[in-house]
Amino acid sequence: MRPISFFSQYCECEYVAEKINAAYDMQSSAYDDCGKVKNYDYLLFGDDDITVVLRGLRVWYEIMKQFGPKGPSGKERKIVFYGGEGLLATAFKVMRFNLALQGKKKLRLRVQKENESERLARVAEKLGLDPSLMIVLGAGRNTTEVLRSICSAVEDKKCLLVVTQRLAQIMRCSINFQCNRNPEAFGMRPLDIDYYVIHQEVRDTIRWYNMQGAGGGRVAFHFWGHLIRRFDEYDGKFLEKPFEPSKELRESSELLARKFLIKQRRGGLRRLCQYLPIILDIFLHAEDIVKDEVDAIAAAKQELKKEFYFLNTQSI
């Protein structure tokens, strides 16, 4: 059992992170002035968090219900899955090791090696998406590589980026700067793109299935602790930051950074010490991670079937 001081510190960090999370929220542009969803040739799904599929796939079915299977170009609409490897590669190794030690072969088989885009596609298939409608891109090493592969896949067609709240501004500001303002410099092409933002509070983001809860929420708090620094560092290089943060926001960011920032350029021992509680938590909660994913997919299935009657005739 964790000490009371831990929960007190956790609540303080959650409160501080929520300020940053709310400040960088943005509205969706997937709907017209009458509140009706627009038509798109491609929907783009990418994240280190399967929430983007669990909650975002509803907009795909909404568009299919409204417009049928074809986009505005007259061609069959498709979903593009993009991503990298990130924490997943290490997490899956640790989970498989734990489950092997416990002799839980069936559970271990559920934890297959896959990158972020492959994992999202797998979850989408479980939620009724036909694999023939999927384009699964290879793992990118950074945002620029990911955007370059997206540009190549969708060309000049109308796109909708489905994205969680915490990553929405990063993607929008990167796309605007690299694809739409400086396409030649980055080897891109302009994207005709709108956004469907999945709004989440900090506590909704911290789950086992996305590893954000690992290390007592350390993975999640690292993200919000580095967000303002990322916009400052990359402004005018890889993106244009959306606004100048207030003094209060900067103080909130620095508080989280002092406690949770992991990606240190120097100090290998410090970095190792920061990773240890995360890896240990993933090891100890391997079964919880698998179970949380299974339960989340089951819950998403039920929600989709309630909203879209035609899914009840499919074996999802």
Side-chain angles (χ1 to χ4, degrees):
M1 183 174 180
R2 300 185 191 272
I4 294 176
S5 59
F6 169 83
F7 290 103
S8 176
Q9 182 186 55
Y10 179 91
C11 290
E12 178 190 9
C13 293
E14 181 186 329
Y15 173 74
V16 170
E18 191 57 62
K19 290 182 182 179
I20 302 169
N21 186 48
Y24 283 89
D25 193 11
M26 58 181 262
Q27 295 302 308
S28 299
S29 53
Y31 298 88
D32 62 23
D33 293 338
C34 298
K36 292 185 178 180
V37 71
K38 303 174 190 175
N39 196 9
Y40 299 92
D41 291 300
Y42 292 99
L43 275 69
L44 313 176
F45 284 72
D47 211 329
D48 56 1
D49 183 351
I50 61 171
T51 299
V52 74
V53 172
L54 297 174
R55 290 182 54 187
L57 201 60
R58 69 164 303 281
V59 75
W60 164 267
Y61 288 122
E62 186 179 2
I63 293 169
M64 293 291 282
K65 181 179 178 181
Q66 179 77 18
F67 297 102
K70 294 183 179 180
S73 68
K75 295 183 178 180
E76 188 175 46
R77 185 182 306 104
K78 295 196 174 185
I79 289 185
V80 176
F81 295 100
Y82 65 87
E85 288 194 348
L87 181 60
L88 278 182
T90 301
F92 287 169
K93 289 178 183 177
V94 170
M95 290 167 63
R96 284 197 296 269
F97 181 57
N98 172 293
L99 296 170
L101 285 178
Q102 296 186 66
K104 297 185 177 179
K105 186 176 179 180
K106 287 186 178 180
L107 277 179
R108 187 177 183 275
L109 291 174
R110 287 181 176 269
V111 187
Q112 299 297 321
K113 183 180 179 181
E114 56 189 356
N115 60 39
E116 292 168 1
S117 54
E118 291 167 342
R119 188 184 188 209
L120 296 179
R122 173 175 59 81
V123 173
E125 186 174 357
K126 289 181 179 293
L127 296 178
L129 186 65
D130 190 326
S132 68
L133 301 176
M134 303 179 188
I135 299 174
V136 184
L137 302 180
R141 292 175 295 179
N142 52 53
T143 303
T144 298
E145 283 193 4
V146 166
L147 292 180
R148 196 173 289 133
S149 63
I150 289 173
C151 288
S152 178
V154 306
E155 298 181 333
D156 60 350
K157 302 298 188 297
K158 185 71 175 175
C159 300
L160 179 66
L161 178 66
V162 181
V163 63
T164 53
Q165 177 175 339
R166 67 189 178 92
L167 294 179
Q169 289 283 13
I170 291 174
M171 292 303 296
R172 185 184 69 85
C173 293
S174 298
I175 289 169
N176 284 348
F177 187 79
Q178 296 187 38
C179 303
N180 295 342
R181 296 180 186 174
N182 303 286
E184 293 183 1
F186 289 95
M188 312 276 191
R189 63 186 304 158
L191 289 177
D192 185 2
I193 194 164
D194 285 333
Y195 298 87
Y196 179 85
V197 181
I198 299 167
H199 303 287
Q200 291 178 286
E201 294 183 354
V202 168
R203 64 179 55 193
D204 297 325
T205 303
I206 299 177
R207 293 287 298 261
W208 279 122
Y209 67 65
N210 60 17
M211 320 296 177
Q212 295 295 317
R218 183 176 293 271
V219 176
F221 294 138
H222 157 75
F223 174 82
W224 281 294
H226 101 290
L227 188 61
I228 290 177
R229 290 188 179 196
R230 176 172 183 154
F231 279 121
D232 284 343
E233 183 176 348
Y234 291 166
D235 186 35
K237 299 175 184 176
F238 299 102
L239 51 74
E240 289 184 359
K241 57 184 177 183
F243 57 85
E244 184 60 36
S246 66
K247 180 181 177 182
E248 182 183 12
L249 277 181
R250 287 195 177 278
E251 289 174 349
S252 297
S253 176
E254 286 303 314
L255 186 152
L256 292 176
R258 285 195 299 271
K259 295 182 177 181
F260 301 107
L261 196 63
I262 299 168
K263 294 181 180 179
Q264 307 292 335
R265 288 195 175 95
R266 298 177 183 175
L269 180 59
R270 179 182 179 185
R271 183 167 62 247
L272 178 63
C273 291
Q274 289 174 319
Y275 271 116
L276 281 176
I278 295 171
I279 299 303
L280 180 61
D281 229 11
I282 291 172
F283 176 81
L284 294 175
H285 292 91
E287 287 187 68
D288 295 320
I289 294 169
V290 174
K291 185 177 185 301
D292 197 29
E293 179 180 298
V294 170
D295 291 346
I297 292 172
K301 282 183 183 180
Q302 292 304 312
E303 289 299 316
L304 287 171
K305 285 184 175 182
K306 284 181 184 178
E307 186 169 0
F308 303 102
Y309 66 89
F310 56 84
L311 291 178
N312 289 295
T313 64
Q314 301 180 20
S315 58
I316 73 167

